Amino acid sequence: MRGAARVIDGDTLDVAGTTVRIEGIDAPELDQRCEGPGEDWACGAWSRDRMVALIAGREVICAGDVQDRYDRLVARCRAGQGDLGAEMVRDGAALAYRRYSHAYIRDERAAHSAGRGVWQHGGRYVTRPADYRATRRTGGQADGAPETPPRVDCAIKGNISSSGQIYHLPGQRDYARTRIDTTRGERWFCTEEQARAAGWRPARR
């Protein structure tokens, strides 16, 4: 698919009359504001504007054949020679959407290290767009069993099972399938030291 594009938000386009959700990224929602050590800022609107600047009126070419539950085409897109998903994540205008793809994790790490966009304060104030949407749906209360951490830099999963209190690090074999239910006393940790101090032990794999 190819054609002129209208930017809806930081990860959604209208390309030649078809709504396209950029594969592998999750940008701040259009009305989302990001916190900072001083005033918060309109990161959702900024993310949209960054996508507008990347396209710069050029023809957009998208490749994909899957539709999501909202009937949007999920696709990787480019304008000129650049992969729009990769560029948005590298600019800190979107996050790698790990739930569905690992394609842009390296780009996210580069943006985090450089302090670009939403990472400008080292990630201490980043709220994942998925968590923002979940909180908005539930009137300010996050779901009891979120699949993503409340903060990007606090991604260690403290799980309670028949084996006791065990924490899982990102990248370990059982990390992705481990779900955290805070109503059972399970929790997220920012560091291994924090997890150990709370009584959790590391997973073996």
Side-chain angles (χ1 to χ4, degrees):
M1 167 186 292
R2 61 197 304 158
R6 177 176 64 87
V7 176
I8 297 173
D9 58 29
D11 54 32
T12 312
L13 309 174
D14 181 299
V15 181
T18 297
T19 303
V20 178
R21 177 65 160 82
I22 304 295
E23 181 181 354
I25 73 171
D26 200 15
E29 294 298 303
L30 196 56
D31 63 347
Q32 185 173 343
R33 300 186 68 84
C34 291
E35 296 179 8
E39 296 183 1
D40 60 3
W41 58 291
C43 56
W46 172 79
S47 175
R48 174 205 58 199
D49 293 346
R50 185 62 192 139
M51 178 67 83
V52 171
L54 287 173
I55 293 174
R58 293 175 295 185
E59 180 183 60
V60 171
I61 301 173
C62 298
D65 56 9
V66 174
Q67 287 191 313
D68 67 11
R69 58 178 175 166
Y70 302 109
D71 293 325
R72 301 174 300 189
L73 177 67
V74 179
R76 297 182 75 158
C77 300
R78 58 188 174 89
Q81 298 301 311
D83 180 309
L84 291 174
E87 293 191 55
M88 287 290 287
V89 175
R90 280 197 297 265
D91 286 345
L95 282 69
Y97 208 172
R98 288 170 167 80
R99 181 177 178 181
Y100 297 105
S101 172
H102 292 173
Y104 302 118
I105 291 177
R106 183 174 297 179
D107 298 299
E108 183 182 283
R109 288 173 179 162
H112 186 287
S113 297
R116 300 188 194 108
V118 299
W119 305 107
Q120 60 187 270
H121 302 295
R124 293 188 302 274
Y125 303 98
V126 175
T127 298
R128 290 184 180 274
D131 293 324
Y132 175 80
R133 293 191 295 271
T135 301
R136 189 171 57 183
R137 283 196 303 269
T138 56
Q141 297 295 321
D143 294 338
E147 296 186 7
T148 55
R151 279 173 42 188
V152 177
D153 56 346
C154 297
I156 298 173
K157 295 181 177 181
N159 176 242
I160 300 175
S161 68
S162 59
S163 301
Q165 296 176 319
I166 299 172
Y167 68 83
H168 300 263
L169 300 174
Q172 288 188 299
R173 195 188 76 173
D174 295 329
Y175 181 87
R177 66 182 182 182
T178 299
R179 293 292 179 265
I180 300 303
D181 184 352
T182 56
T183 64
R184 298 179 57 244
E186 297 177 331
R187 54 185 292 195
W188 298 92
F189 294 103
C190 301
T191 65
E192 288 192 75
E193 291 76 14
Q194 183 187 49
R196 291 194 182 101
W200 265 257
R201 60 184 174 84
R204 294 179 179 177
R205 58 190 179 212

